[in-house]
Amino acid sequence: MTSSAPKKPAGRGAARLPRGARARAPQVLTSLEQLYPDARTELVFNTPFELLVATVLSAQATDVSVNAATPALFERYPDAHAMSQAEAQDIEPLIRRIGLYRGKARNLAALARLLVERHGGEVPNDFDAVVALPGAGRKTANVVLSNAYGFPAIAVDTHVGRLARRLGLSVQTNPDKVEQDLQGLFPRERWVFLHHALILHGRRVCMARNPQCAACEMAAFCPKIGVEA
């Protein structure tokens, strides 16, 4: 199988970055490296298949709720071949505690069948092939390829997008455009770390509501202190 790394988001050219973004980016990276030196995904997985399933389940749901549900799910369906034999109604009771569980159950049953039919039951290390799976998308593909196969990628979720705007790294609200801005500001070899560290900072300090600005290590150079993004 030919591997394909995550592709740069399509666009009509680079949008204007916020004032000072290029000077601020190294400060952000240094602070994140000091705060979260071991940052990595908080989803629990052992195989690329488990990571793919967990990432699909994590859409509009917390990693805590996903990690609580997946042990029983993976015990019943340890790989794509096993899950491809299931119907959505078989999967639903195992993921009921996760938001939007009915639609996600349908997607999991369908993506497992496609993995078996198109890829011999293995999660492809190909960006377009992952994006084509039911329930997947650009963010899912970036998460899977970076964490399972080591490709450099920045998966933009609500935390990453919010912090990119608050820290003056992007003015975009479209995740693909935020991804493009961040790719241009940070070294390629630090993209995966950056994604995970921003998520941790968004969960622990720079929350959507009531961000802990007084306790933030980046307060000295953050242009959006106390401003809802």
Side-chain angles (χ1 to χ4, degrees):
M1 179 186 300
T2 301
S3 64
S4 173
K7 297 178 179 179
K8 187 174 182 179
R12 294 187 176 182
R16 185 184 298 275
L17 292 168
R19 184 187 299 271
R22 295 196 182 281
R24 198 155 41 245
Q27 295 176 296
V28 170
L29 183 58
T30 297
S31 292
L32 292 174
E33 289 172 336
Q34 293 171 348
L35 290 168
Y36 313 106
D38 301 318
R40 60 180 181 271
T41 181
E42 293 188 314
L43 292 172
V44 177
F45 70 97
N46 294 303
T47 66
F49 174 73
E50 289 186 357
L51 176 60
L52 172 62
V53 169
T55 306
V56 169
L57 291 175
S58 71
Q60 300 183 54
T62 66
D63 288 356
V64 172
S65 68
V66 173
N67 291 336
T70 50
L73 178 67
F74 295 148
E75 182 177 4
R76 180 78 62 84
Y77 306 113
D79 53 35
H81 290 282
M83 190 173 286
S84 69
Q85 302 303 309
E87 300 296 335
Q89 57 265 33
D90 301 321
I91 298 173
E92 284 181 11
L94 299 170
I95 62 171
R96 193 180 300 273
R97 69 185 71 189
I98 299 173
L100 307 176
Y101 72 93
R102 288 191 175 90
K104 291 175 181 179
R106 289 193 297 271
N107 285 333
L108 291 184
L111 76 80
R113 293 188 189 100
L114 284 182
L115 286 177
V116 171
E117 293 170 5
R118 298 179 181 177
H119 309 290
E122 300 297 321
V123 176
N125 57 348
D126 180 89
F127 183 84
D128 290 334
V130 176
V131 168
L133 295 171
R138 185 174 187 89
K139 190 197 85 168
T140 296
N142 280 337
V143 170
V144 172
L145 292 179
S146 62
N147 288 282
Y149 297 122
F151 287 124
I154 301 174
V156 177
D157 66 356
T158 56
H159 296 294
V160 174
R162 181 176 71 253
L163 267 68
R165 290 185 291 275
R166 283 183 175 170
L167 290 169
L169 303 172
S170 178
V171 297
Q172 304 295 335
T173 56
N174 181 289
D176 291 355
K177 293 181 179 180
V178 173
E179 179 186 347
Q180 189 170 15
D181 285 347
L182 295 178
Q183 286 179 347
L185 288 171
F186 293 92
R188 184 180 180 87
E189 64 272 14
R190 301 304 285 155
W191 287 356
V192 177
F193 166 81
L194 177 74
H195 157 72
H196 293 310
L198 285 174
I199 288 176
L200 291 179
H201 198 65
R203 288 174 175 168
R204 299 176 184 179
V205 180
C206 194
M207 290 81 77
R209 297 182 180 179
N210 301 316
Q212 305 301 302
C213 298
C216 182
E217 297 287 338
M218 290 182 272
F221 55 84
C222 177
K224 296 288 187 180
I225 289 295
V227 177
E228 191 67 26

